[in-house]
Amino acid sequence: MVQGLEDTVYLRELVENLRLACQLGEGVDPLAGEAQVELGQTLERVVRRLGLLARRRGISLEAARPDEPVWVRCNPTMMEQAIGNLVHNAITHGHNEGHVVAVLETMEPGRFRLTVLDDGPGLTPAELAHLGERAFRSREARRRDPRGSGLGVSIVRELSRRIGFTLAFETNEPHGLKVVIEGTHLPLPPGEGWGEGIKAPG
């Protein structure tokens, strides 16, 4: 059952990544038409979609976001796929009984930070320097999941570049990977908000 679920998720992500890679390669603008997306709800959808996979692998998946919406300029489908790539990678390369955490937070003035952390094997400093290059996969990643394409993180990097976000990779001490996306969010209209804080289900 676990293998079947992993195969299903893998194929879905591969198809969506190939589609998005083609769009970016053809010059589709992720900012076209004043596109906007709310990151908090997007993160929740990703966690719900990948929650079963995480549980079947024995991995705890949790996410948190601010009480207020965090709107940014980007095509919603592209942004959801990018966030999904980061969370899916963290689950795929994590250890059984491990943890994956995604945290969305706002900073002053008018900026946000999305952090995805895992406590898997992590990467060497040399590998970190190449993470995000198309088709690059670490030695450990190739060993644990030979089918991987290396497309996922490269798509996140290219999308971030096109919409003006920064993308950084660090070691999550004592082991694991920490991925951080930062950028500018749109101002929230007066009186608009969620009210109660919401934590995405694990």
Side-chain angles (χ1 to χ4, degrees):
M1 182 181 294
V2 174
Q3 186 60 55
L5 178 60
E6 289 181 354
D7 290 344
T8 300
V9 174
Y10 168 76
L11 289 173
R12 179 198 180 281
E13 298 300 322
L14 178 60
V15 169
E16 291 301 315
N17 278 330
L18 288 172
R19 183 176 66 84
L20 181 48
C22 288
Q23 289 178 324
L24 294 175
E26 292 170 357
V28 175
D29 184 2
L31 301 175
E34 299 295 317
Q36 299 181 14
V37 57
E38 203 284 297
L39 293 182
Q41 290 185 333
T42 302
L43 178 59
E44 288 187 5
R45 284 195 299 273
V46 167
V47 169
R48 283 195 296 268
R49 187 174 76 238
L50 297 175
L52 179 58
L53 175 63
R55 289 193 294 274
R56 293 299 185 187
R57 291 180 59 90
I59 292 176
S60 169
L61 173 60
E62 296 184 1
R65 65 170 171 89
D67 292 341
E68 301 296 331
V70 182
W71 288 92
V72 299
R73 290 280 314 281
C74 185
N75 177 283
T77 302
M78 291 183 177
M79 178 56 66
E80 183 164 340
Q81 184 63 28
I83 295 175
N85 285 347
L86 297 181
V87 175
H88 183 241
N89 279 359
I91 295 170
T92 299
H93 301 300
H95 293 302
N96 287 344
E97 308 302 325
H99 304 82
V100 173
V101 178
V103 179
L104 174 65
E105 55 190 329
T106 53
M107 307 176 293
E108 296 296 332
R111 293 185 63 79
F112 76 91
R113 176 187 294 131
L114 174 63
T115 306
V116 179
L117 307 103
D118 66 66
D119 52 8
L123 291 87
T124 67
E127 290 171 334
L128 276 176
H130 293 284
L131 188 59
E133 295 177 1
R134 176 162 293 206
F136 170 77
R137 304 189 72 224
S138 70
R139 180 186 304 175
E140 180 66 16
R142 292 194 300 270
R143 184 188 71 80
R144 294 172 68 90
D145 185 16
R147 303 171 304 175
S149 63
L151 264 180
V153 180
S154 67
I155 285 175
V156 178
R157 186 179 73 166
E158 179 62 18
L159 182 64
S160 297
R161 183 187 70 80
R162 294 198 187 190
I163 60 181
F165 294 168
T166 62
L167 176 66
F169 307 102
E170 305 172 21
T171 298
N172 182 31
E173 300 294 347
H175 56 82
L177 182 65
K178 177 181 180 180
V179 184
V180 180
I181 296 178
E182 292 189 9
T184 301
H185 64 79
L186 299 172
L188 190 66
E192 182 176 338
W194 295 113
E196 294 293 330
I198 299 176
K199 183 178 180 181

